[in-house]
Amino acid sequence: MSATRKRKPIATGSDWNFAVLERFDTQLASLADEYRLDTYPNQIEVITTEQMMDAYASVGMPVGYHHWSFGKQFLAVDQAYKRGQMGLAYELVINSDPCIAYLMEENTLMMQVLVMAHACYGHNSFFKGNYLFRTWTDASSIVDYLVFARRYINQCEERHGVQAVEQLLDACHALQSYGVDRYKRPSPISAEEEAKRQDERETYLQTQVNMLWRTIPGLPEGSSPLLASLHSDDDPLGLHSGGHYPSEPQENLLYFIEKNAPLLSPWQREIVRIVRKLAQYFYPQRQTQVMNEGWACFWHYTLMNRLYDDGDVDEGLMLEFLQSHAAVIYQPPFDSPHYSGINPYALGFAIFIDIKRICEAPNDEDQAWFPDIAGTPWRETLEFAMRNFKDESFIQQFLSPKVMRDHKLFLVVDDDQAETLEVAAIHNEQGYRRVRDALATQYALSVREPNIQVAEAAIRGDRSLTLHHVQDSRRPLGRSVYPVMRHLQQLWGFPVHLVSLEEGRVTRRYHWPIEDENSTA
Amino acid sequence: MTYFIDRRPNAKHKSAVNRQRFLERYRKHIKRSVEEAVNRRSITDMERGEKISIPTKDISEPVFQHGPGGARNIVSPGNKEYVAGDKISRPKGKGDGNGSGEGGASNQGEGVDEFAFTLSREEFLEFVFDGLELPHLQRKPLKSLEEVKMVRAGLSRDGVPSRISITRSMREAYARRIAMRAPIKRALKDAVEALDAEERKDSVLRNPTRITELKAEIERLEKRIAGVPFIDTYDLRYHQLSAQPQPSNQAVMFCVMDVSGSMTQNHKDIAKRFFLLLYLFLEKHYEKVELVFVRHHTAAREVNEEEFFYSRETGGTIVSSALNLVNKIIEKRYPTSQWNLYVAQASDGDNWDDDSNICRDLLIKQLMPQLQYYAYVEITPHDHQSLWQEYESVVNEFPDRFAMRQIVEAGDIYPVFRELFKRRLSQS
């Protein structure tokens, strides 16, 4: 679109002030509107370097409970920043309504505008549009919930001591990636609701747990047998049906702990719940890194170019922007000393840009590979891609041969039973599909993280807990398995067993406390 | 809709609690590093924080993850020469038996074995004192010498011109001008309005006398407004000064150490820690602290810090040689009118037979009257000898300013130090 060039940019040079930022925001907002970007209201906070480091240290959460690991994070960021190994400037944005984004005071004007375009219109619209965020998070209540969580944990520290709470949090953190429901939509978290239901829940939960464990000989007499006493409403997961507890494997370890661990006190269950709820909130982010960053990069790129075309920024600012943009979407090759895996910004940006290209100017290859989208209106297609996928399916669906060629992607199979690594496929006609499948799989959380589920709680025996690790391609668990089991045992209160299974065959058993292998084998 | 919020004035150090928790959790590790640093560092080099490293494995937060082994597919960018079917020999030294070494995109921190961070100076000192089994050094205000400092103490209406507070004077003047002009301005406004009303009347009804009167009135009022003085002596405000007694801001500490054959390296380390504490203590109270190192056997010599603690020269013991030297140095370089004088002496208490009473006399007659404080530590597991006994009479003479304690092992240093400084020191 050729707009007539205005003579006067909104501002020049690298200094900024609030009036200028507001004028840029107005401009960006009207462009975003023109492109039909649907966003939450923006809350842009101007902060100092140190505040930015604070924010980084708490995963960007505007309020967080206290824990040593956030301190460690802070020190790491602080150190890296002071040594110049890391720029802080880029972005930090919170999936909340209003959507909170931070601008660092020492950024140049260009950076502020870039971050606004990237975070306030890119990420923001992603949070509001993508199905995972829509399904799993409630942007309007997260900040309230954080406030609730922080206050609750503070109270626990006062009542039960910092150390007791810290140990509990350590254990919960170790299991937090296993604290999410992958298939079931959670009820929205609301602070008000939480507070209201909390007391109720404490007592209710405890009675549930007591009822479960009442079947163990030696507990108070006259109590009714477990199964008869439970209505189906009390047991929505069907944990009690069948002679086996739980009747189905449970993937949400923290949920299982919260509901069933015999020895936890009510406040401990509540903290388990808090960690679980926060893990659930961050779960979509872990699955949409490439898409989310790609989308934000696509829009900052598009919006900045429009600002330039409309004459709102001058050449100097644009040059500075292009340099910064190029650095962000740079993908070092695998043999570079700077290589640290695939850069999600680079990959995501490349795919979105390529979708637009396929829509606007498809060639024969595109027609063959993407008959559904070649030649369609790009804005609608992009919106569809953003809304309905996660990294895994997004790559499977939209990674084009061109992007694979541009990035020179290739697939290596590393089998410890083979002498050498083998290049299984490269970016050519024979290889495209395999490379694409493999890259998509690489982003599947189920492949990135070991598949571990609760298999059985011995409610009639020694109260031990058994987990199953469903092993794939002979990939064993790492050494950290023992420290994690120690944490798990601490939560559960009784011995914990973990069995690795591949194709139904046991490959390895782990126990905590460590017992004599021979006695159980 | 966008809201801009300036958070910069908000509290910083949001992570302070978390940082504190981290330090608390790794107290042992950090303490070890700090202790090493203290032993490595010189007494005068306590100005900076300390870089601390903790092995990454000790602070990692464990999660379930894949270990090395099995078969995996890795997609990487940047292929230059490979074609499908190529075999690549395994990169060496990677991932073997190391739980975190996975190829592929998701791993960070490979090859980083140490988690390094920097303690601030305050944190560092806290750990230094913590190593001595007390978390906070109690601050004792040392009483001042004769020096006073003039400090601003509000404003007054009279004073010397050099002390005029310009802003306050101007503000007063401004207020006065507003106050003085207000009634005149009100009258002026009324007159202008009246004139206006008069002039708007039909020419037949106009009263020319009234108009002339009003015009004269307006002119008079305008003159009066212009006549309000811009600044009046009445407006002037002067900074008031008052004399405040001030701790003299420089101090010198004499570190006196016996280096006779019986003082082992262990003894010297204990002494060093003691001197270090005293130095830090003084440093909290004085802007400038100097150190003088005096070592002695049969003869005393002023030396640098390095030589003080590590020289191997040795011999018999004549304590008075050191006291004499201290006295000479004071006379020559540190007039009592300008310096707060401290002496810390470390010895195993062994002295040449006839020397101890000489020391006593020297102290009572010459040194003590000039000193703020004299701390004697005897590092010995044995019974006291003549020096200790003679010093006891010095304590009797100067109970507030002369203190002596025995140290048997490193753990005694801090308690002893604290005891030595527990009372408020008074002037002679």
Side-chain angles (χ1 to χ4, degrees), chain A residues 16 18 21-22 25 41-48 50-51 54 57 62 65-72 74-76 78-79 83 105 116 121 157 162 166 170 174-175 178 253 331-335 339 341-342 407-416 418-427 435 438-439 442 447-450 452 473-481 483-484 487 498, chain B residues 1-26 30 50-54 56-91 94 96-110 112 114-120 123:
Chain A
W16 56 269
F18 282 94
L21 292 186
E22 275 171 31
D25 179 70
N42 280 303
Q43 178 168 322
I44 300 176
E45 308 198 353
V46 176
I47 59 176
T48 61
E50 198 187 331
Q51 287 169 324
D54 285 337
Y65 53 82
H66 295 308
H67 190 252
W68 67 271
S69 60
F70 303 136
K72 171 182 117 178
F74 179 85
L75 288 167
D78 183 57
Q79 199 71 12
R83 286 201 202 134
E105 65 173 345
M116 285 182 345
Y121 295 95
E157 284 176 348
V162 171
E166 182 178 285
D170 282 350
L175 294 167
Y178 294 86
L253 302 192
Q331 174 67 67
F334 74 99
D335 52 357
Y339 181 71
I342 289 178
H407 279 75
K408 300 189 168 63
L409 296 179
F410 67 116
L411 168 64
V412 172
V413 175
D414 177 0
D415 186 333
D416 64 351
E419 282 279 303
T420 55
L421 308 178
E422 190 189 343
V423 177
I426 66 159
H427 42 92
V435 171
L439 187 61
Q442 204 159 296
V447 174
R448 286 213 309 247
E449 293 169 353
I452 292 171
S473 307
R474 306 189 324 279
R475 297 175 72 189
L477 292 172
R479 281 178 171 187
S480 55
V481 61
V484 180
H487 282 312
L498 173 60
Chain B
M1 199 49 226
T2 300
Y3 315 90
F4 281 88
I5 300 177
D6 190 352
R7 288 267 186 235
R8 288 171 295 176
N10 276 33
K12 287 184 288 186
H13 306 305
K14 225 166 134 185
S15 299
V17 176
N18 292 330
R19 187 181 165 118
Q20 211 51 49
R21 294 254 168 107
F22 175 81
L23 297 182
E24 190 54 46
R25 189 181 167 98
Y26 291 98
I30 299 171
E50 177 64 25
K51 202 182 142 205
I52 305 289
S53 294
I54 298 177
T56 315
K57 67 170 169 47
D58 291 350
I59 62 160
S60 66
E61 297 163 75
V63 290
F64 284 129
Q65 56 185 189
H66 291 297
R72 61 193 76 203
N73 295 330
I74 304 151
V75 176
S76 311
N79 175 25
K80 290 175 196 80
E81 73 257 29
Y82 298 128
V83 295
D86 278 358
K87 310 276 189 205
I88 311 169
S89 53
R90 257 168 233 288
K94 215 180 127 184
D96 276 338
N98 192 336
S100 67
E102 287 188 61
S106 62
N107 263 288
Q108 74 279 65
E110 215 175 7
V112 181
E114 296 272 288
F115 179 81
F117 59 95
T118 312
L119 287 183
S120 70
E123 285 166 341

Side-chain angles (χ1 to χ4, degrees), chain B residues 149-169 235-243:
Chain B
K149 188 178 164 193
M150 301 305 283
V151 293
R152 284 187 175 178
L155 296 149
S156 74
R157 293 200 170 195
D158 36 36
V160 291
S162 66
R163 298 234 166 272
I164 285 181
S165 163
I166 294 174
T167 29
R168 278 303 298 269
S169 302
D235 302 326
L236 296 180
R237 294 292 181 276
Y238 300 87
H239 288 297
Q240 184 92 297
L241 293 184
S242 74

Side-chain angles (χ1 to χ4, degrees), chain A residues 140-346:
Chain A
S140 62
S141 67
I142 182 63
V143 174
D144 284 349
Y145 188 75
L146 290 170
V147 172
F148 156 77
R150 181 197 175 107
R151 194 179 306 137
Y152 188 82
I153 289 177
N154 269 348
Q155 280 171 4
C156 289
E157 284 176 348
E158 278 165 26
R159 269 187 237 154
H160 309 284
V162 171
Q163 218 196 338
V165 175
E166 182 178 285
Q167 272 179 7
L168 180 64
L169 284 173
D170 282 350
C172 294
H173 286 180
L175 294 167
Q176 65 186 342
S177 353
Y178 294 86
V180 294
D181 294 314
R182 290 169 200 225
Y183 309 109
K184 197 159 44 71
R185 187 186 191 284
S187 53
I189 43 176
S190 136
E192 240 174 288
E193 189 75 348
E194 287 298 322
K196 221 188 307 159
R197 280 177 16 201
Q198 191 180 332
D199 290 336
E200 218 182 305
R201 192 161 58 222
E202 285 195 357
T203 38
Y204 176 71
L205 255 179
Q206 202 58 44
T207 56
Q208 289 297 95
V209 172
N210 293 345
M211 215 183 313
L212 173 65
W213 293 102
R214 203 180 294 159
T215 54
I216 292 167
L219 284 180
E221 281 181 33
S223 45
S224 51
L226 169 72
L227 295 177
S229 74
L230 278 170
H231 305 292
S232 62
D233 282 355
D234 294 337
D235 186 21
L237 297 176
L239 297 177
H240 295 274
S241 54
H244 193 243
Y245 189 84
S247 59
E248 298 278 332
Q250 298 294 308
E251 58 166 10
N252 193 332
L253 302 192
L254 283 182
Y255 182 80
F256 190 82
I257 295 284
E258 181 193 329
K259 301 300 180 206
N260 300 296
L263 301 180
L264 291 183
S265 6
W267 68 270
Q268 291 173 311
R269 290 183 207 280
E270 189 67 36
I271 288 183
V272 174
R273 182 183 176 81
I274 287 171
V275 174
R276 187 166 72 73
K277 288 278 174 186
L278 293 177
Q280 189 80 61
Y281 171 78
F282 285 110
Y283 184 55
Q285 318 220 354
R286 288 164 56 215
Q287 299 181 85
T288 53
Q289 239 197 331
V290 170
M291 290 181 74
N292 201 347
E293 293 305 351
W295 177 259
C297 285
F298 177 88
W299 284 108
H300 80 226
Y301 183 75
T302 306
L303 296 174
M304 292 300 283
N305 275 297
R306 273 299 300 277
L307 287 181
Y308 177 69
D309 290 342
D310 294 352
D312 291 322
V313 298
D314 61 11
E315 277 80 5
L317 190 139
M318 202 56 192
L319 275 176
E320 194 192 344
F321 160 70
L322 287 172
Q323 190 182 20
S324 176
H325 173 72
V328 167
I329 59 153
Y330 174 64
Q331 174 67 67
F334 74 99
D335 52 357
S336 150
H338 302 293
Y339 181 71
S340 59
I342 289 178
N343 175 356
Y345 293 81

